[in-house]
Amino acid sequence: RTLPLGTSQGCLVYLAEELKKHTDLPVIALGRINTPELAEEIISNNKADLVALGRPLLADPQWVNKAAAGKEETIRPCIGCNQGCYTKILKQEKICCAVNAEIGLVDKELIDFTQTVDKKKILIVGGGVSGMECARLCSMKGHEVILLEKTDKLGGQINIASVPPDRGELVLLVKYLERELTQLKVDIRLNTELTMDLLEDAMPDILICATGAHPREMNQIDFKDMQVLYANDVLAGKKFDAQHVLIVGAGLVGCETADYLAQ
């Protein structure tokens, strides 16, 4: 099975290392080898003769070229979510990737990154990974981009999703996008909400909304004196005093919040 987020990087390397003690044949290590540093450590310490990359090459097909050029920090990270690759393969559907929108597209559908001659001023509202990726692509095309985020940091709900146990790797995607936007000199404005004054002052040609999803409200139930919180509030650090907690919803958010509270 393809190893998911939460399993440690290089978690199967010990098997290759043991095999090398018993054979003269070339041994290939695999299993969440996501960084050139880890790959180099495995080979230089004679734990394996080769390393195999699967999902990291879906996340960034230029992984090897960037590593060879000493540009490891520019590699788009695989977050091990299995949503577009392994899950799709099991269903015999066309693969995609949560961090690389171009995977699975044919040539005519790929993004043309040649500089546009029709440059626009683009205002993007929302500094989560959707807004950040949109800002990255628009800036690469040569547009003037302003990115607004009402909180004091970029990343949006990925920052919350990274809080439950064994989910910390998710912030690697945020850090990658932050580096890209800094390199592209995108105008990032934190602690800034969209107002009519700001809109009139910026006068963008295009306004893009990337403000994310909101949890469903539960107004139809009378909870009497019970304190009601949303999972995002809990994972964001909102304090509450309770010994017994009822979680409504057993999807990933509910399960990971339960895991977080139990620990």
Side-chain angles (χ1 to χ4, degrees):
R1 192 190 193 289
T2 304
L3 298 165
L5 174 68
T7 51
S8 59
Q9 295 197 19
C11 57
L12 299 181
V13 173
Y14 76 98
L15 296 172
E17 188 175 13
E18 183 63 27
L19 278 172
K20 272 189 65 66
K21 299 175 183 178
H22 306 284
T23 181
D24 293 327
L25 295 172
V27 174
I28 305 174
L30 52 77
R32 302 217 65 212
I33 301 172
N34 287 352
T35 66
E37 293 85 357
L38 177 57
E40 183 66 32
E41 186 270 330
I42 292 167
I43 294 174
S44 62
N45 288 317
N46 204 34
K47 296 178 181 179
D49 301 296
L50 299 163
V51 297
L53 305 175
R55 290 171 297 170
L57 295 180
L58 296 179
D60 193 336
Q62 295 300 317
W63 193 104
V64 174
N65 291 333
K66 290 178 179 179
K71 297 180 179 179
E72 295 91 339
E73 73 281 356
T74 67
I75 293 174
R76 184 190 292 112
C78 168
I79 57 175
C81 67
N82 285 349
Q83 295 303 299
C85 49
Y86 181 74
T87 304
K88 294 288 186 180
I89 291 171
L90 288 182
K91 296 178 181 178
Q92 295 186 337
E93 296 176 355
K94 184 172 73 172
I95 66 167
C96 55
C97 179
V99 302
N100 182 1
E102 291 195 286
I103 287 297
L105 303 181
V106 297
D107 287 346
K108 65 180 181 180
E109 297 172 322
L110 296 177
I111 299 170
D112 178 8
F113 283 114
T114 55
Q115 292 282 296
T116 180
V117 294
D118 184 21
K119 294 186 178 182
K120 303 289 187 182
K121 188 174 186 180
I122 300 175
L123 179 62
I124 301 172
V125 184
V129 293
S130 176
M132 295 172 78
E133 176 69 357
C134 184
R136 184 183 77 89
L137 296 178
C138 291
S139 183
M140 289 178 71
K141 287 289 291 181
H143 298 294
E144 179 186 350
V145 179
I146 301 172
L147 178 62
L148 303 185
E149 168 54 41
K150 70 177 182 179
T151 69
D152 61 354
K153 62 180 178 180
L154 296 172
Q157 296 192 64
I158 286 289
N159 295 321
I160 297 172
S162 67
V163 171
D166 302 318
R167 291 295 180 265
E169 278 186 58
L170 289 173
V171 296
L172 295 176
L173 178 59
V174 178
K175 294 183 183 302
Y176 159 77
L177 288 169
E178 283 181 324
R179 285 192 295 267
E180 291 288 300
L181 297 184
T182 299
Q183 188 72 24
L184 291 165
K185 295 181 171 56
V186 171
D187 182 358
I188 299 171
R189 303 182 188 182
L190 302 177
N191 297 305
T192 305
E193 290 194 60
L194 179 65
T195 63
M196 283 305 300
D197 287 342
L198 189 154
L199 189 61
E200 291 172 358
D201 181 63
M203 288 295 290
D205 299 301
I206 299 172
L207 175 66
I208 297 176
C209 180
T211 52
H214 300 279
R216 179 182 299 170
E217 295 185 2
M218 299 181 62
N219 298 328
Q220 69 273 28
I221 300 176
D222 181 9
F223 290 99
K224 301 187 184 300
D225 296 327
M226 286 184 285
Q227 185 178 8
V228 179
L229 298 171
Y230 290 98
N232 281 9
D233 297 328
V234 175
L235 296 175
K238 186 172 183 178
K239 303 297 182 183
F240 63 94
D241 183 22
Q243 290 182 311
H244 303 287
V245 178
L246 170 67
I247 297 177
V248 181
L252 279 177
V253 175
C255 290
E256 290 178 0
T257 304
D259 192 12
Y260 169 74
L261 289 175
Q263 295 195 29

